[in-house]
Structure formats: structure tokens, C-alpha cells
């Protein structure tokens, strides 16, 4: 049977996929492995790399399931392949040791109703009260695309969705964990400075700024703020300064976004 020609939209999606593939290939690593068609096929659950090759070369049209699996491999947003799809992942690059799954991922057309069993979490901005600024104020960003999560994801992680906020990250201090322009989901209920877990990542108020840092607490109460980016040195904050200038906003429970954009 003669294979049909791709439509203009399908051809464009294949071109978008190939561009994202080439960009990621320069970084070499995905989930600790080199990016090859064979590795991608293994992670996506395909028996051979033939399907990966045919999608990349535009010989067969991309469907939503294939787009979601490619996005898991490449760490990108489905809208970067098909602009008609909206996707904000419950977690990036989650899966078993040898295979990634798409059942934690939601993709939907922006004109469709919210998928059953899912929740919409709006993006917010944060500000602090005058003076010592310990009280945080949150305001939803109405024109920003919300994040869509499965209700089961919150149940699995024992998080009350009423206690979460999503913020956009600025700056490069936490690369490659999260890049500037990406978003993080914060559980506001995990905000006790006396109960932080060493090495976990938190959103904190430091002065008038919202920062995302890996935290460690010394026996004397000194708080160590650590960045992922090795160009940034650790900051040590004394117990007195912690009490005066730092508030734990919440624990980072998820991140999403297209990753680094090469300009």
C-alpha cells in the first residue's frame, strides 16, 4: 500500500521535532544516556529504532502519543512540536529504569474542556509585605497558561492541590535543574524552617526576593543556600539573619518547561 503524503501541518510538526532532536543531541545526555535513535526507541518502548527514524524524517505522521513520548525523551513541551497541544507535565523525564511512560502526561487542545481527572493550576506572582516582609501575597497571572496535572499525581505525592502555587524562575543559578523562564510547583504546606530536609529544594524569601535554592541546616541553625550552577558559591546565613530575612515559602515539588533555549 502506498504511503500517503503528510499534510502541511504534519510536515511542520516533523520539522519541529527534528530541530528539537538536533538541539538536544548537542547536549549528548538524556536521563544519563547518549541521545541516539536506539536509546530513544528503548525509552519510548519501541522494539526497534525504525519508528523513531520514520517520525524524525517525516515518513510517518506524528500522533499525540508519539509526541508525548518524544517530549519525555527530549524534555520539551508538546506545543513546541504541535502548537495546538498544551502540556505542562506532572514531572519531566519520569519513568522506569529502561522505559518512559506517557500515563503521567496530559496533552489537550487549548479549546477543549479540561480532561477528566485533572486539575488546572494557575501561574502566580509573589510579593511581600513592607517591613520585614514575612507575609507573602499571591496573585494569579490571568493571561498565563495554567499547568494541568492529574488529580492522581497529587494523591500519589500526598499533596493538597489547594496548597500549591506555580512560579516562573528567573536567573541561571539553578541550571541545569531548572532554567530561567521555566516554572516550578511549590507546596506551601512544607514551609517550616525547622523541618527542612537537607539537600531538598525550596522556594524562599530572602529580603524582597523569591529564590529557589537547595537548603542545608547546620547544628547551630546556620542555613546554607546552595545553587546547582557551580558558578555560584554557597551562601551561609546566620540564625539571626534567617529569623530576620528568610521565610520558607514551600518545597519545590515539580518543574516544567522546554529547558535551555540556544540563542
Amino acid at each position: 500500500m502506498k504511503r500517503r503524503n503528510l499534510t502541511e501541518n504534519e510536515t511542520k510538526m516533523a520539522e519541529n521535532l527534528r530541530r528539537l532532536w538536533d538541539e538536544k543531541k548537542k547536549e549528548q545526555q538524556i536521563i544519563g544516556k547518549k541521545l541516539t535513535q536506539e536509546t530513544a526507541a528503548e525509552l519510548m518502548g519501541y522494539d526497534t529504532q525504525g519508528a523513531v527514524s520514520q517520525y524524525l524524517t517525516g515518513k510517518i505522521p506524528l500522533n499525540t502519543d508519539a509526541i508525548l513520548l518524544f517530549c519525555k525523551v527530549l524534555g520539551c513541551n508538546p506545543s513546541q512540536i504541535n502548537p495546538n497541544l498544551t502540556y505542562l507535565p506532572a514531572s519531566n523525564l519520569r519513568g522506569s529504569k529502561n522505559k518512559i511512560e506517557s500515563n503521567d502526561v496530559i496533552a489537550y487542545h487549548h479549546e477543549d474542556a479540561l480532561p477528566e481527572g485533572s486539575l488546572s493550576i494557575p501561574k502566580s506572582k509573589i510579593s511581600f509585605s513592607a517591613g520585614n516582609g514575612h507575609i507573602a501575597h499571591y496573585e494569579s497571572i490571568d493571561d498565563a497558561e495554567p499547568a494541568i496535572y492529574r488529580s492522581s499525581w497529587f494523591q500519589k505525592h500526598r499533596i493538597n492541590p489547594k496548597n500549591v502555587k506555580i512560579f516562573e524562575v528567573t536567573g541561571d543559578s539553578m541550571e541545569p535543574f531548572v532554567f530561567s523562564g521555566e516554572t516550578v510547583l511549590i507546596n506551601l504546606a512544607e514551609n517550616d524552617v525547622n523541618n527542612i530536609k537537607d539537600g531538598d529544594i525550596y522556594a524562599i524569601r530572602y529580603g524582597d526576593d523569591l529564590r529557589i535554592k537547595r537548603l542545608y541546616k547546620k547544628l547551630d541553625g546556620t542555613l546554607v543556600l546552595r545553587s546547582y550552577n557551580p558558578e555560584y558559591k554557597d551562601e551561609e546565613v546566620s540564625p539571626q539573619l534567617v529569623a530576620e530575612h528568610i521565610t520558607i515559602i514551600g518545597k519545590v515539588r515539580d518543574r516544567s518547561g522546554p529547558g535551555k533555549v540556544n540563542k
Side-chain angles (χ1 to χ4, degrees), residues 118-154:
S118 60
L119 298 171
S120 174
I121 311 296
K123 185 186 294 186
S124 299
K125 58 182 178 180
I126 188 170
S127 59
F128 304 101
S129 299
N132 63 18
H134 279 273
I135 299 177
H137 303 279
Y138 307 101
E139 180 181 348
S140 296
I141 304 175
D142 295 333
D143 58 350
E145 190 174 83
I148 309 301
Y149 282 83
R150 294 189 187 278
S151 301
S152 58
W153 185 86
F154 290 100

Side-chain angles (χ1 to χ4, degrees), residues 50-66:
V52 175
S53 175
Q54 291 185 80
Y55 283 128
L56 287 170
T57 56
K59 291 183 179 179
I60 56 176
L62 283 157
N63 55 40
T64 299
D65 287 342

Side-chain angles (χ1 to χ4, degrees), residues 204-227:
I204 65 171
R205 175 199 64 85
Y206 192 173
D208 293 329
D209 297 326
L210 175 69
R211 298 193 188 183
I212 307 297
K213 295 294 178 184
R214 188 189 292 273
L215 299 185
Y216 297 85
K217 194 170 186 181
K218 293 186 175 183
L219 292 176
D220 66 356
T222 296
L223 200 61
V224 179
L225 316 183
R226 181 165 298 169
S227 302

Side-chain angles (χ1 to χ4, degrees), residues 72 87-92 104-106 148-149 254-257:
K72 282 288 194 175
Y87 165 78
L88 290 110
S91 73
N92 282 344
D104 280 338
V105 181
I106 296 172
I148 309 301
Y149 282 83
D254 193 26
R255 58 157 295 276
S256 63

Side-chain angles (χ1 to χ4, degrees), residues 78-90:
S79 63
Q80 293 177 271
I81 299 174
N82 180 357
N84 290 325
L85 288 179
T86 297
Y87 165 78
L88 290 110

Side-chain angles (χ1 to χ4, degrees), residues 14-257:
E15 292 173 352
N16 291 340
L17 173 61
R18 186 69 200 197
R19 174 180 52 79
L20 293 166
W21 177 277
D22 290 341
E23 289 176 357
K24 178 61 70 171
K25 194 170 180 64
K26 294 177 182 178
E27 300 175 20
Q28 290 300 311
Q29 297 290 325
I30 51 165
I31 322 181
K33 298 182 179 182
K34 287 187 177 180
L35 177 58
T36 65
Q37 292 184 13
E38 290 77 11
T39 299
E42 177 187 358
L43 293 169
M44 295 167 72
Y46 297 148
D47 293 332
T48 70
Q49 52 76 233
V52 175
S53 175
Q54 291 185 80
Y55 283 128
L56 287 170
T57 56
K59 291 183 179 179
I60 56 176
L62 283 157
N63 55 40
T64 299
D65 287 342
I67 290 174
L68 293 180
L69 289 172
F70 270 112
C71 287
K72 282 288 194 175
V73 171
L74 301 176
C76 63
N77 189 312
S79 63
Q80 293 177 271
I81 299 174
N82 180 357
N84 290 325
L85 288 179
T86 297
Y87 165 78
L88 290 110
S91 73
N92 282 344
L93 303 179
R94 174 183 293 136
S96 62
K97 182 177 180 181
N98 297 315
K99 180 180 176 183
I100 58 174
E101 305 289 350
S102 62
N103 58 351
D104 280 338
V105 181
I106 296 172
Y108 73 103
H109 193 283
H110 61 84
E111 294 180 352
D112 292 342
L114 196 65
E116 184 177 355
S118 60
L119 298 171
S120 174
I121 311 296
K123 185 186 294 186
S124 299
K125 58 182 178 180
I126 188 170
S127 59
F128 304 101
S129 299
N132 63 18
H134 279 273
I135 299 177
H137 303 279
Y138 307 101
E139 180 181 348
S140 296
I141 304 175
D142 295 333
D143 58 350
E145 190 174 83
I148 309 301
Y149 282 83
R150 294 189 187 278
S151 301
S152 58
W153 185 86
F154 290 100
Q155 296 169 357
K156 177 181 178 181
H157 295 279
R158 299 181 180 180
I159 298 173
N160 186 338
K162 294 181 179 179
N163 292 332
V164 303
K165 297 289 183 183
I166 288 179
F167 303 109
E168 183 173 316
V169 175
T170 59
D172 62 355
S173 69
M174 292 301 284
E175 294 182 3
F177 169 72
V178 61
F179 292 90
S180 184
E182 295 186 327
T183 58
V184 288
L185 180 141
I186 309 298
N187 182 17
L188 304 181
E190 297 176 276
N191 64 353
D192 188 346
V193 69
N194 296 312
N195 290 320
I196 66 170
K197 185 177 179 181
D198 278 355
D200 281 1
I201 300 170
Y202 293 82
I204 65 171
R205 175 199 64 85
Y206 192 173
D208 293 329
D209 297 326
L210 175 69
R211 298 193 188 183
I212 307 297
K213 295 294 178 184
R214 188 189 292 273
L215 299 185
Y216 297 85
K217 194 170 186 181
K218 293 186 175 183
L219 292 176
D220 66 356
T222 296
L223 200 61
V224 179
L225 316 183
R226 181 165 298 169
S227 302
Y228 258 86
N229 190 333
E231 294 184 6
Y232 291 80
K233 295 182 179 180
D234 288 356
E235 298 177 72
E236 294 194 4
V237 186
S238 69
Q240 180 180 353
L241 290 178
V242 169
E244 293 177 356
H245 299 292
I246 287 185
T247 300
I248 306 296
I249 300 302
K251 188 173 180 177
V252 175
R253 285 301 201 143
D254 193 26
R255 58 157 295 276
S256 63

